[in-house]
Amino acid sequence: MTAPAFVDTNVVVYALGVDTDRRETAIKLLAEGVLVSAQVINETVSVLLGKQKFSREDAYEVAQSLLDLCEVLPVDTETIRAAMHLAAHYSLPHWDALIVASALLAGCDTLYSEDMQHG
């Protein structure tokens, strides 16, 4: 059995965007049954309400779709401790480290994001 993939917020936002290539790739990834964390859901709502100018109703509809489509992982004490270690050890910004920690703790071997370098 293949380890599940984890997607970052930017992938979700691309699924709603106007860039056809990014949108198609993001939709395909989300349809494969990826994992996200509660952080990704919350960041998505924030981006949609802010930069994307979605109505609250539309942003929450997207969040509800993610809750139904993806396995959503909590950001708990273990995740935060792992993130602090990763941030310190690899000089990652804290929010990126939380994403990496969530993916690692879930046993993912693939993390889709544009926020970090490959590897």
Side-chain angles (χ1 to χ4, degrees):
M1 183 172 180
T2 307
F6 191 100
V7 297
D8 197 355
T9 307
N10 48 35
V11 174
V12 176
V13 173
Y14 290 152
L16 304 167
V18 295
D19 182 318
T20 306
D21 292 336
R22 284 182 173 171
R23 185 177 63 239
E24 288 176 9
T25 300
I27 289 170
K28 183 187 291 186
L29 288 173
L30 291 170
E32 292 176 359
V34 295
L35 302 179
V36 298
S37 65
Q39 175 187 351
V40 170
I41 303 289
N42 289 308
E43 286 179 354
T44 298
V45 169
S46 179
V47 169
L48 295 180
L49 291 174
K51 292 180 184 177
Q52 301 295 323
K53 306 293 186 208
F54 275 48
S55 68
R56 185 174 308 277
E57 180 181 309
D58 290 342
Y60 284 177
E61 185 176 320
V62 171
Q64 186 62 52
S65 294
L66 289 170
L67 291 168
D68 294 339
L69 181 65
C70 303
E71 182 177 346
V72 181
L73 306 171
V75 176
D76 57 14
T77 305
E78 182 181 16
T79 311
I80 296 166
R81 285 190 173 118
M84 291 187 298
H85 171 77
L86 290 166
H89 190 74
Y90 295 103
S91 300
L92 292 172
H94 181 73
W95 298 111
D96 291 343
L98 275 171
I99 293 294
V100 174
S102 293
L104 289 172
L105 290 170
C108 296
D109 60 8
T110 303
L111 167 59
Y112 291 102
S113 176
E114 282 196 345
D115 291 341
M116 294 163 265
Q117 296 298 317
H118 180 70

